[in-house]
Amino acid sequence: MASTEPATVTNKQIIFSGYVSGFPKESDLKFTTTTIDLRIPERSTSILVKNLYLSCDPYMRICMGKPEPLSSSLVPPFNTGEPITGLGVSKVIDSGHPDFKKGDLLWGVVGWEEYSVITLFPYSHFKIHHTDVPLSYYTGLLGMPGMTAYAGFYEICSPKRGETVFVSAASGAVGQLVGQFAKLMGCYVVGSAGSKEKVNLLKTTFGFDDAFNYKEENDLNTALKRYFPDGIDIYFENVGGKMLDAVLINMKLNGRIAVCGMISQYNLVEPDGVHNLATILYKRIKVQGFAVFDFYDKYSQFLDFVLPHVRQGKITYIEDITEGLESGPSALLGLFHGKNVGKKLILVARE
């Protein structure tokens, strides 16, 4: 039931300045302070939340570009002069919705601000029932990135024990999980990353069979042949461009590619071309792009699968946490320069 005691507080926000071409700059995201009434109007079905954690995700770069039909069909663009939006973990302060009450914890889409008013629709927000694990995990391992890894690997790639798996951007929020899921299946898995530190993390912490720094490879085709002399069964695609081109000619017959993202392309004015597309035909490769929200109906199934592994210590998850909303712009933009190690998120407030 909505609160009867009005209270107005300050509300820090990150405002979107305008549409971006090329690499975004911190000036494209402005820190400001406004006020908000901590009371939901009578008869409203919205909820008011206090944001605890905000997630930094590569798809958010797409939202910064000038609206166009193709990208807008996947994710809506940010609105100029308004707070940017993203996924977050929040606590309910006031509610006019029958399914949420004060004190409930949830994850879903919120504004980049201290407090957000949320209008609910199917699968937009999920109540958090399992609090024996870190709440921050719901921005990653137990939230959208985890569900992305699960859907892309299991639902699209249909892995089999003993198959060979390659993961690009493998130390990121999604890639680190795909590799561990592959090992749980008994697959041979190799990842690529952009630094020696990340490569070491893949091999020593996440259990990848091998890994390489793509920045140190003069020829990606040769590198892939070194790690996959008999070819790749499954490629989990996170980067696009030259890596995708090299992977295509190293795929096995009837290989599968789950296209999760193409972070190497998001900041380019002219995207890289891909030259080996004929291989898809010759080797009968399945290439499928996907959006995680198409699989949110399987979220409870995902939790049933992953939570026991987490509690038993069979899955490791590395987070890269920045404190303070005012540090949000630099934290987010660091994603596009490979500065994060693991899942990047912002601690806005402690519960």
Side-chain angles (χ1 to χ4, degrees):
M1 184 174 178
S3 171
T4 58
E5 297 183 8
T8 300
V9 297
T10 58
N11 189 25
K12 298 175 182 177
Q13 299 178 317
I14 303 297
I15 301 295
F16 185 50
S17 299
Y19 298 115
V20 175
S21 177
F23 278 89
K25 307 178 294 296
E26 287 194 37
S27 59
D28 297 317
L29 303 170
K30 294 186 178 179
F31 178 75
T32 190
T33 302
T34 183
T35 58
I36 188 169
D37 188 346
L38 299 184
R39 177 182 60 178
I40 292 294
E42 292 294 334
R43 292 184 293 278
S44 170
T45 57
S46 297
I47 60 175
L48 174 74
V49 299
K50 179 180 182 179
N51 295 320
L52 307 178
Y53 295 97
L54 295 174
S55 178
C56 298
D57 295 296
Y59 82 85
M60 297 171 75
R61 173 59 186 87
I62 303 173
C63 303
M64 296 180 191
K66 188 175 181 180
E68 55 95 4
L70 278 178
S71 61
S72 297
S73 68
L74 180 66
V75 287
F78 295 146
N79 294 318
T80 300
E82 296 182 8
I84 66 171
T85 56
L87 294 162
V89 173
S90 312
K91 185 174 184 177
V92 177
I93 301 299
D94 193 18
S95 175
H97 196 282
D99 295 339
F100 290 89
K101 66 181 185 301
K102 183 178 180 179
D104 282 347
L105 295 165
L106 72 155
W107 73 268
V109 178
V110 293
W112 271 40
E113 53 192 350
E114 291 181 291
Y115 298 91
S116 294
V117 176
I118 297 171
T119 300
L120 300 166
F121 55 88
Y123 300 123
S124 65
H125 297 81
F126 297 85
K127 190 178 291 187
I128 294 173
H129 298 287
H130 306 279
T131 56
D132 59 321
V133 293
L135 277 180
S136 58
Y137 277 12
Y138 289 92
T139 68
L141 169 56
L142 301 178
M144 181 275 288
M147 189 67 215
T148 300
Y150 177 83
F153 186 62
Y154 290 105
E155 297 291 328
I156 292 176
C157 293
S158 303
K160 303 178 185 65
R161 183 176 183 82
E163 289 192 313
T164 56
V165 178
F166 177 51
V167 186
S168 56
S171 67
V174 175
Q176 60 175 289
L177 292 174
V178 175
Q180 293 180 80
F181 292 165
K183 291 307 298 178
L184 289 173
M185 280 291 301
C187 297
Y188 169 80
V189 58
V190 175
S192 65
S195 72
K196 291 180 180 179
E197 176 190 10
K198 293 178 181 179
V199 167
N200 184 59
L201 194 67
L202 293 176
K203 294 191 286 187
T204 62
T205 301
F206 299 137
F208 282 59
D209 292 289
D210 220 326
F212 64 92
N213 182 351
Y214 70 90
K215 294 178 181 177
E216 295 180 347
E217 300 292 343
N218 295 322
D219 186 327
L220 292 173
N221 177 31
T222 300
L224 290 172
K225 289 188 186 304
R226 184 166 70 246
Y227 294 100
F228 298 99
D230 298 319
I232 301 166
D233 290 300
I234 292 172
Y235 173 44
F236 201 95
E237 163 69 302
N238 288 311
V239 300
K242 295 177 181 178
M243 184 66 80
L244 174 59
D245 220 14
V247 166
L248 285 173
I249 54 178
N250 283 280
M251 293 295 293
K252 287 185 181 180
L253 191 69
N254 297 313
R256 288 89 73 204
I257 299 177
V259 182
C260 171
M262 293 195 173
I263 194 170
S264 75
Q265 305 301 294
Y266 296 156
N267 296 300
L268 301 182
V269 177
E270 292 293 333
D272 291 330
V274 177
H275 304 283
N276 295 314
L277 291 176
T279 312
I280 297 171
L281 170 62
Y282 303 151
K283 295 188 177 182
R284 284 78 114 190
I285 300 167
K286 172 187 174 183
V287 182
Q288 183 175 338
F290 70 102
V292 64
F293 47 75
D294 293 334
F295 296 90
Y296 274 160
D297 61 322
K298 300 181 184 296
Y299 181 63
S300 61
Q301 176 183 313
F302 162 66
L303 287 182
D304 290 341
F305 163 78
V306 77
L307 277 169
H309 291 305
V310 174
R311 290 168 177 148
Q312 294 165 23
K314 293 181 179 179
I315 289 180
T316 300
Y317 201 65
I318 299 295
E319 297 177 311
D320 187 341
I321 303 177
T322 294
E323 292 201 27
L325 184 63
E326 62 277 8
S327 300
S330 62
L332 175 59
L333 301 189
L335 280 181
F336 308 114
H337 299 279
K339 293 182 179 179
N340 61 301
V341 178
K343 169 62 193 170
K344 190 67 192 178
L345 64 143
I346 301 161
L347 170 62
V348 180
R350 301 185 189 278
E351 185 187 352

